[in-house]
Amino acid sequence: MKKEQQLAHLILEKVGGRDNIIQLDHCMTRIRLSIKDESLVNIKELKQVPGVMGVVEDDTLQIVVGPGTVNKVADEISKETGLKVGEVSADPGLTAKDRQAALKKKNSTPIKNGLRRIGNIFIPLIPALVASGILNGGANFAVNAGVDPTNTIIAILLLLGGGVFAFLGILVGWNTAKEFGGTPALGAIAGIIIINPALANITLFGEELVPGRGGLIAVILAAWFMAVVERFARRFVPNSIDIILTPLIAVLVVGFTTLIVIQPVGGWLSAGITDGINFILDIGGVVAGAVLAGFFLPLVMVGLHHGLTPIHMEFINSIGITPILTILAMGGAGQVGAAIAVFVKTKNTRLRTTIKGALPVGFLGIGEPLLYGVTLPLGRPFVTACMGAAVGGAFQALTDTAARGIGVSGLSLIPLIDDNKFLMYFLGLVIAYTFGFIFTYLFGFKESMADNLDS
């Protein structure tokens, strides 16, 4: 039996069997299961399964198995359950009320649910953003090093790397409509309306329209409104002409509303967010950098960090760079330092094995395996990791580093650093590693914490 197949089998065993799963999904590091009967899930034994780096109980049961592995394990679970990724079980004994109860936890709040929805919009786009960002960053790195930008290979790399960012509004519109129960293609049209270069040829109420105004915030608002109008129209349009009339009504209503209301509002919100964060960084300086970096891991802990993606993209859309990504990336770096300190001090074989497996991807900016497998379960190392991150974040704010793309952090972010400040960003990583290590080694870990993990 293959490693991933065995891991999938054990996971199913600990969550109550294949018939106890309503829905199967995954992100970059986590298997996400919607559970029918939560009383059948043995969380303690699930955490002890070899290969499981952590378990998060949220609106879905999230099982951290790490990048790469997550795709293979999801495929194996899909084979055993017969559920495709994203598909909801057709179990006749499961009512709509049961599904809703299984998908919603008591601690849900409108803010958390809103951020989760934003995460659901952007998480599927992360592989494309990562690949494009690295290609774009590598090509620009070569240009900065003196390579002729008209070189055919460089031009092709810039084409491959820049495409997703040029047309990202279409993908975001598609996912937004899908998330809010609308037709994805109509959501894509909402994105096209926002970014269409033809807007520059139109004057409305004496004002020239601007392609891209409002950025992804306007796209999300327009695609959401498209889903709302579509669902509303479908309630009244006869079935015989629904396929013709409903999308026509939705596109006309949303199209004009977008140009008259949504784009101006989106532009105002976008400017407010970017100007506000820039003001905080300008005024707060190193303190602001320390606070932002120090509190980033708690966002990752509850899976809400993807809600920041539109902010990064708005910065890139408006000024070409995001000045907060390099600061927030220190969260993962502080955690790497903390994990190394734990590895040096502990004699617990299981904990050392977990750290060895999670450290390589931790250096590359994927911190969830370390978070759920090491620092968070131990408790105090999570706090000292945040402290190390704060020191690194302060340094990044002091040196004004910024990134030209998103989707990666850690060492992987180096090619995307703006203004040739690659060394400054790397020094910030080293500082966060170092202080995360020092704080954890001195007062963040003792062997009894590791012993408690096995109890």
Side-chain angles (χ1 to χ4, degrees), residues 74-153:
D75 288 341
E76 294 296 336
I77 293 177
S78 177
K79 292 175 185 176
E80 289 206 35
T81 61
L83 284 174
K84 297 178 181 178
V85 174
E87 179 183 10
V88 178
S89 169
D91 183 351
L94 187 65
T95 67
K97 185 176 180 180
D98 292 330
R99 289 194 185 109
Q100 186 177 14
L103 293 171
K104 187 175 182 180
K105 303 293 285 186
K106 290 181 180 180
N107 65 347
S108 293
T109 65
I111 293 177
K112 288 177 70 175
N113 289 334
L115 289 175
R116 285 194 190 97
R117 283 190 178 274
I118 293 174
N120 291 339
I121 292 168
F122 285 95
I123 286 173
L125 303 178
I126 287 177
L129 294 173
V130 169
S132 299
I134 292 175
L135 286 173
N136 216 16
N140 280 290
F141 184 87
V143 171
N144 291 336
V147 177
D148 185 354
T150 62
N151 177 281
T152 301
I153 298 299

Side-chain angles (χ1 to χ4, degrees), residues 1-229:
M1 184 181 290
K2 293 187 300 184
K3 177 183 175 182
E4 290 81 10
Q5 188 178 7
Q6 183 179 21
L7 180 53
H9 179 76
L10 289 172
I11 288 173
L12 286 174
E13 181 182 295
K14 304 307 179 186
V15 300
R18 62 185 182 182
D19 294 332
N20 198 34
I21 295 178
I22 301 170
Q23 189 173 22
L24 164 67
D25 265 311
H26 71 84
C27 59
M28 288 182 68
T29 60
R30 312 180 195 185
I31 299 291
R32 297 170 180 259
L33 302 177
S34 298
I35 301 298
K36 181 178 180 180
D37 185 352
E38 295 178 8
S39 67
L40 299 179
V41 179
N42 191 323
I43 297 294
K44 183 178 179 180
E45 291 186 6
L46 182 60
K47 290 180 178 179
Q48 299 297 321
V49 171
V52 171
M53 299 175 176
V55 177
V56 182
E57 298 177 78
D58 205 0
D59 57 335
T60 57
L61 182 65
Q62 301 170 22
I63 304 159
V64 183
V65 296
T69 301
V70 71
N71 304 77
K72 299 173 183 177
V73 173
D75 288 341
E76 294 296 336
I77 293 177
S78 177
K79 292 175 185 176
E80 289 206 35
T81 61
L83 284 174
K84 297 178 181 178
V85 174
E87 179 183 10
V88 178
S89 169
D91 183 351
L94 187 65
T95 67
K97 185 176 180 180
D98 292 330
R99 289 194 185 109
Q100 186 177 14
L103 293 171
K104 187 175 182 180
K105 303 293 285 186
K106 290 181 180 180
N107 65 347
S108 293
T109 65
I111 293 177
K112 288 177 70 175
N113 289 334
L115 289 175
R116 285 194 190 97
R117 283 190 178 274
I118 293 174
N120 291 339
I121 292 168
F122 285 95
I123 286 173
L125 303 178
I126 287 177
L129 294 173
V130 169
S132 299
I134 292 175
L135 286 173
N136 216 16
N140 280 290
F141 184 87
V143 171
N144 291 336
V147 177
D148 185 354
T150 62
N151 177 281
T152 301
I153 298 299
I154 295 297
I156 291 174
L157 289 176
L158 289 171
L159 170 70
L160 297 176
V164 71
F165 296 103
F167 300 100
L168 187 60
I170 299 174
L171 298 175
V172 170
W174 178 287
N175 283 352
T176 301
K178 183 179 179 181
E179 174 66 19
F180 288 98
T183 300
L186 293 180
I189 290 178
I192 291 171
I193 293 171
I194 300 292
I195 68 173
N196 199 323
L199 286 175
N201 302 323
I202 300 174
T203 301
L204 188 64
F205 303 129
E207 181 180 350
E208 293 183 358
L209 300 183
V210 180
R213 182 183 182 189
L216 295 183
I217 292 177
V219 170
I220 292 172
L221 291 174
W224 164 78
F225 188 51
M226 184 77 80
V228 170
V229 172

Side-chain angles (χ1 to χ4, degrees), residues 30 115 292 294-308 328 368 371-372 382 386:
R30 312 180 195 185
L115 289 175
L292 287 171
F295 282 94
F296 183 63
L297 282 180
L299 278 182
V300 179
M301 178 181 70
V302 292
L304 300 181
H305 54 300
H306 294 297
L308 298 172
L328 300 180
E368 289 168 312
L371 177 65
Y372 295 112
F382 176 76
C386 292

Side-chain angles (χ1 to χ4, degrees), residues 356-435:
K356 282 194 292 185
L359 264 181
V361 295
F363 278 110
L364 296 176
I366 300 174
E368 289 168 312
L370 284 175
L371 177 65
Y372 295 112
V374 182
T375 60
L376 195 57
L378 291 173
R380 201 182 301 169
F382 176 76
V383 177
T384 52
C386 292
M387 292 167 61
V391 180
F395 180 82
Q396 300 292 1
L398 179 67
T399 54
D400 291 323
T401 58
R404 288 182 293 192
I406 67 169
V408 293
S409 60
L411 295 172
S412 305
L413 187 59
I414 291 175
L416 301 181
I417 299 302
D418 183 56
D419 198 24
N420 295 323
K421 293 185 177 180
F422 310 108
L423 180 59
M424 290 297 101
Y425 172 73
F426 178 72
L427 286 176
L429 284 174
V430 173
I431 288 170
Y433 295 154
T434 302
F435 279 89

